[in-house]
């Protein structure tokens, strides 16, 4: 999978050199491009923001640097005069539906394990990290006319920019790409893949600070262990995330 990120803080993504995702990059399973939005400004001060039309607090990200940065990744607009003359084509649109452009936004669709799973099947994801009060709406409008664009929210809270959200999404998506996580069974067993929270885990010692490991786990009875773990999953999910057991009842409130 190819992943491109547009941001005014490219150093923020240096941590993607580490851990599982760093290894996946070294082995070629994930190809990452981090692009500085300021490299696509043309004024002396490398401005990426300006005051909002209609007034109001804060600044809005200008559309031109976004257009230039995203065109450099996606290829120029096939509908533009220059492109028609040059017969430009988007390199990866031949074999699939083309890249998905993702903008983290509190106004987006809720990011879930199911969405991570869908996105892990894509060939090319492009993330745009907004800052300030957000990006000029025409950037989303323009690229929606040209291809697939999604606004995606991690949850109902406001961040100072899209970077942290993109990092979380890349971690959730990246680990689902075949070969990135060493043991595929651990992916299936995990929280949310079966719609339930995980059962509690224990390791040695059998007694720690007066607390015992549940005896069933030391019984050697694998049938009993399976049943106990499933009961724990149900009990935990009922207690802390009842919405997961009856998703239709509460799904309207998320978005
Ligand atoms: C923000 Br500014 C900005 C850009 C993206 C996101 S996603 C989120 N929860 N907050 C803020």
């Amino acid at each position: 999978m190819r992943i491109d990120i547009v941001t005014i803080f490219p150093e923020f993504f240096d941590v993607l050199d580490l851990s599982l995702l760093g290894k996946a990059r070294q082995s070629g399973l994930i190809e990452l491009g981090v692009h500085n939005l300021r490299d696509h400004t043309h004024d002396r001060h490398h401005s990426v923001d300006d005051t909002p039309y209609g007034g109001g607090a804060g600044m809005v990200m200008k559309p031109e640097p976004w257009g230039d940065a995203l065109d450099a990744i996606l290829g120029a607009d096939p509908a533009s005069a220059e492109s028609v003359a040059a017969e430009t084509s988007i390199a990866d649109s031949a074999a699939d539906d083309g890249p998905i452009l993702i903008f983290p936004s509190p106004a987006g669709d809720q990011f879930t394990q199911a969405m991570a799973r869908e996105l892990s099947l894509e060939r090319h994801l492009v993330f745009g990290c907004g800052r300030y009060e957000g990006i000029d709406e025409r950037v989303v409008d323009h690229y929606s006319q040209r291809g697939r664009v999604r606004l995606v929210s991690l949850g109902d809270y406001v961040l100072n920019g899209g970077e942290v959200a993109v990092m979380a999404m890349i971690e959730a998506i990246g680990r689902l790409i075949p070969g990135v996580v060493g043991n595929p069974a651990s992916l299936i067993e995990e929280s949310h893949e079966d719609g339930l929270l995980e059962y509690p885990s224990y390791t040695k010692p059998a007694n720690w600070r007066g607390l015992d490991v549940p005896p069933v786990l030391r019984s050697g009875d694998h049938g009993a262990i399976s049943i106990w773990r499933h009961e724990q999953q149900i009990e935990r999910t009922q207690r802390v995330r009842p919405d997961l057991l009856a998703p239709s009842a509460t799904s309207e409130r998320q978005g």
Side-chain angles (χ1 to χ4, degrees):
M1 175 189 283
R2 164 110 200 149
I3 298 175
D4 286 287
I5 304 168
V6 180
T7 171
I8 60 169
F9 295 118
E11 316 79 38
F12 198 99
F13 296 93
D14 287 353
V15 293
L16 290 175
D17 293 340
L18 306 176
S19 192
L20 270 178
L21 293 187
K23 276 196 207 119
R25 288 174 64 196
Q26 279 173 3
S27 69
L29 288 169
I30 296 176
E31 224 184 312
L32 183 72
V34 182
H35 311 271
N36 192 338
L37 184 67
R38 288 196 201 277
D39 292 345
H40 299 274
T41 54
H42 301 285
D43 65 310
R44 274 200 319 125
H45 297 105
H46 301 285
S47 323
V48 293
D49 62 329
D50 205 339
T51 53
Y53 273 118
M59 300 291 271
V60 175
M61 290 190 114
K62 297 157 61 62
E64 303 98 318
W66 278 103
D68 287 8
L70 292 171
D71 285 353
I73 295 166
L74 302 168
D77 186 355
S80 81
E82 304 97 286
S83 297
V84 170
E87 286 186 274
T88 306
S89 69
I90 299 170
D92 47 4
S93 65
D96 59 17
D97 292 330
I100 301 193
L101 179 51
I102 299 169
F103 293 102
S105 163
D109 299 326
Q110 175 78 49
F111 186 72
T112 60
Q113 189 65 22
M115 193 191 292
R117 177 74 54 206
E118 281 171 28
L119 294 174
S120 74
L121 303 173
E122 293 288 332
R123 290 215 2 224
H124 190 185
L125 303 179
V126 181
F127 291 96
C129 302
R131 282 266 151 184
Y132 313 107
E133 300 309 308
I135 305 170
D136 187 304
E137 192 67 22
R138 290 169 294 182
V139 174
V140 168
D141 296 342
H142 172 80
Y143 287 98
S144 297
Q145 291 169 357
R146 286 175 52 183
R148 296 182 290 166
V149 176
R150 300 197 66 165
L151 301 189
V152 178
S153 169
L154 282 196
D156 292 335
Y157 39 83
V158 179
L159 303 171
N160 287 325
E163 283 80 4
V164 165
V166 166
M167 193 71 81
M169 287 189 249
I170 289 176
E171 183 151 327
I173 295 163
R175 60 195 296 287
L176 297 176
I177 295 170
V180 172
V181 169
N183 177 8
S186 68
L187 287 177
I188 295 157
E189 267 190 30
E190 254 156 34
S191 216
H192 290 297
E193 285 289 335
D194 58 3
L196 297 174
L197 300 180
E198 269 186 277
Y199 54 76
S201 299
Y202 301 84
T203 186
K204 291 166 278 296
N207 180 282
W208 179 72
R209 298 192 177 180
L211 300 171
D212 280 329
V213 169
V216 63
L217 298 178
R218 304 176 61 210
S219 68
D221 181 341
H222 297 291
I225 291 169
S226 249
I227 290 166
W228 182 85
R229 284 178 168 167
H230 190 66
E231 286 168 355
Q232 290 290 311
Q233 284 192 282
I234 305 273
E235 185 281 321
R236 233 181 205 197
T237 307
Q238 225 146 33
R239 179 162 44 85
V240 304
R241 292 296 305 278
D243 56 304
L244 294 178
L245 293 170
S248 59
T250 47
S251 61
E252 307 91 278
R253 107 190 125 69
Q254 301 197 326

